[in-house]
Amino acid sequence: EAEFGECIKQLAPQNNWAPLWCTSHKMQELLKKYGVEYSDTPDKDLKHLVSITDCDYLVAHTGSIILSDQNTHNRKAYTEPDILLVMAHTNQIVGGLKEAMKNQKGRLNSHAITQSVIITGTTRSYDIEQEIVQGVFGPRQIAVFLIED
């Protein structure tokens, strides 16, 4: 995680991402530790709203990210930003959705998860001229930072 913290500390100002929008308590602690500027509320005046969070699982078969309210504490944290940054560990990679859902169900018994979402890339739609437009309903860019355990 140290390498991730240092990486974000450099990337945020280089890309004009400061302050990062972060609603994940675990991620906020990490950002504090490495001196990365963040806010727990979105700054709508920024040119690019960038949200950062951790996740529950990464699904190898589909390339999906599974988030729950245990991570984000706020649905807007992954639906409103232009750029979504996700931190994950290698032990969070599962083969398929079935395995992820089974694991998530097991977590329901010990944690109060009220909402989960599966993100498989940015949204894609066509405009009136049949040109593809990405990120119409959610982030335009998604980046996953994978940390080896």
Side-chain angles (χ1 to χ4, degrees):
E1 287 186 352
E3 190 175 347
F4 169 76
E6 292 299 328
C7 180
I8 291 297
K9 186 176 182 175
Q10 289 178 3
L11 285 174
Q14 286 175 358
N15 293 288
N16 295 319
W17 291 345
L20 293 170
W21 178 23
C22 183
T23 58
S24 163
H25 301 304
K26 178 181 171 185
M27 185 62 63
Q28 287 174 353
E29 290 301 316
L30 187 67
L31 295 174
K32 278 183 204 173
K33 182 177 177 179
Y34 292 98
V36 178
E37 185 182 355
Y38 76 90
S39 173
D40 59 1
T41 56
D43 186 346
K44 302 285 184 165
D45 295 330
L46 293 175
K47 184 177 178 183
H48 297 290
L49 184 58
V50 182
S51 179
I52 187 167
T53 189
D54 49 331
C55 69
D56 291 332
Y57 300 103
L58 298 176
V59 182
H61 183 73
T62 59
S64 301
I65 303 163
I66 299 182
L67 299 171
S68 71
D69 56 359
Q70 292 290 311
N71 310 107
T72 62
H73 304 284
N74 184 340
R75 181 175 178 229
K76 291 180 180 181
Y78 57 83
T79 58
E80 287 189 3
D82 299 304
I83 301 169
L84 177 62
L85 308 176
V86 179
M87 181 190 79
H89 291 85
T90 53
N91 68 0
Q92 292 174 287
I93 299 172
V94 295
L97 284 172
K98 186 175 181 178
E99 183 180 352
M101 292 297 103
K102 181 179 175 185
N103 292 349
Q104 197 77 322
K105 185 178 178 182
R107 290 182 62 216
L108 284 173
N109 296 331
S110 59
H111 297 85
I113 297 174
T114 58
Q115 173 184 326
S116 286
V117 65
I118 300 168
I119 300 172
T120 308
T122 59
T123 60
R124 294 169 185 85
S125 62
Y126 289 91
D127 66 12
I128 197 155
E129 296 171 359
Q130 297 301 306
E131 296 290 325
I132 194 162
V133 180
Q134 289 187 294
V136 176
F137 308 105
R140 287 191 165 93
Q141 297 177 6
I142 300 172
V144 176
F145 294 85
L146 189 61
I147 299 171
E148 279 191 59
D149 289 322

